[in-house]
Amino acid sequence: MDGIRLHVNVDHIATLRQQRGTRFPDPVTAAAICELAGAHGITVHLREDRRHIQDRDVRVLRETVKTILNLEMAATPEMVGIALATVPDLVTLVPEKREEKTTEGGLALLQPETERAVGEAISRLAAAGIGVSLFIDPEPEMVQKSQDLGAVMVELHTGDYTLAPRGEKRDRELARLENASEKAGELGIGLAAGHGLDYTNVRGILHLPGLVELNIGHSIISRAALTGLSEAVAEMLALMTYV
Ligand code: PXP
């Protein structure tokens, strides 16, 4: 397929549901709407504290997603067991801290403990035919390490780029993304990017050489909440006049 694929992260639909302990809004329904609108894949992060996506969501999504199901998770034996049982199309390994609001940085692949955990997870998943992508900071050495560990893809962390003010600082972050992308091209490893991408900054990275996939969540779900609001109010008003 030509062009860059969009994988929509629907975690925050589940955040809203968990907040009220209701059955809605349902990330499975959201995923279907994203697919109908043209998304090329659906991403969910099953966190260890289960703050948004639940195990059942992953199982049901595995049955309903018709495009690509990308399961983001920590490189722990528990998560690897879940991935082996559900067989997503792709697993993206991410670092995870309980206290963080969202994933804060790329995998620390140069730390022996992380390297071992990631290496073990990749070999168990690869043995089951599941491709693994690693969420990394945009550094050539991290791209190299990802390939050495057996990843088929890297997802470059765009968070620093998205937070940098326009000007020199942002240019520096773009240069980091460009260097890491070139390294991925040299090695022939798949290239994705994500985190913090929104309607104002996404176009700034579309030129990255070899970029095939973006994972975007917060900005799309946030915009949907606002662009859908007038319709939701009108529907409620229509019901009220009926009574
Ligand atoms: N990629 C990874 C690896 C992530 O952990 C997240 C956040 O769950 C995203 C992409 C999406 O980030 P955002 O919600 O800021 O678009």
Side-chain angles (χ1 to χ4, degrees):
M1 190 201 319
D2 291 325
I4 300 170
R5 299 190 301 263
L6 172 62
H7 288 194
V8 180
N9 180 318
V10 295
D11 290 352
H12 294 315
I13 296 291
T15 301
L16 212 50
R17 176 192 61 189
Q18 296 308 112
Q19 200 70 29
R20 287 294 291 264
T22 46
R23 287 192 181 186
F24 66 92
D26 185 350
V28 175
T29 311
I33 292 170
C34 293
E35 287 188 315
L36 286 172
H40 304 98
I42 300 299
T43 298
V44 288
H45 184 174
L46 184 65
R47 294 187 72 101
E48 292 186 290
D49 62 9
R50 306 302 197 270
R51 70 172 74 153
H52 38 55
I53 294 295
Q54 305 296 301
D55 299 49
R56 176 181 178 276
D57 296 325
V58 180
R59 289 198 300 273
V60 178
L61 284 165
R62 174 61 298 178
E63 289 183 25
T64 58
V65 166
K66 294 172 190 65
T67 53
I68 284 175
L69 178 62
N70 174 20
L71 177 61
E72 281 181 16
M73 57 182 228
T76 63
E78 183 205 9
M79 289 298 157
V80 170
I82 290 169
L84 291 174
T86 40
V87 195
D89 299 292
L90 182 72
V91 162
T92 301
L93 295 177
V94 299
E96 197 173 301
K97 291 195 214 109
R98 258 170 207 269
E99 64 278 12
E100 69 190 1
K101 282 208 167 68
T102 179
T103 317
E104 282 171 355
L107 287 160
L109 295 178
L110 303 182
Q111 280 178 11
E113 210 178 296
T114 306
E115 182 185 348
R116 197 172 333 109
V118 168
E120 275 174 26
I122 292 178
S123 52
R124 289 186 65 199
L125 293 163
I130 303 171
V132 177
S133 175
L134 299 185
F135 186 54
I136 56 169
D137 291 329
E139 300 295 340
E141 63 183 339
M142 290 298 171
V143 180
Q144 179 70 60
K145 193 80 194 162
S146 299
Q147 191 179 53
D148 296 345
L149 287 169
V152 296
M153 190 164 203
V154 289
E155 179 178 340
L156 301 182
H157 192 325
T158 50
D160 289 339
Y161 156 74
T162 65
L163 291 175
R166 272 178 207 284
E168 237 177 76
K169 213 157 176 253
R170 184 171 280 203
D171 293 346
R172 255 203 316 276
E173 292 305 330
L174 261 184
R176 284 177 75 206
L177 288 163
E178 286 159 3
N179 286 340
S181 301
E182 275 160 24
K183 183 70 181 178
E186 268 169 40
L187 297 177
I189 192 168
L191 184 68
H195 213 282
L197 293 172
D198 65 23
Y199 295 82
T200 67
N201 60 33
V202 70
R203 292 182 69 83
I205 61 156
L206 298 182
H207 68 287
L208 292 178
L211 182 65
V212 295
E213 181 186 305
L214 293 178
N215 281 289
I216 306 181
H218 183 67
S219 63
I220 294 178
I221 302 305
S222 302
R223 177 159 295 216
L226 296 187
T227 57
L229 195 52
S230 56
E231 193 179 326
V233 171
E235 271 183 39
M236 186 58 79
L237 284 171
L239 279 173
M240 287 163 58
T241 49
Y242 178 73
V243 171

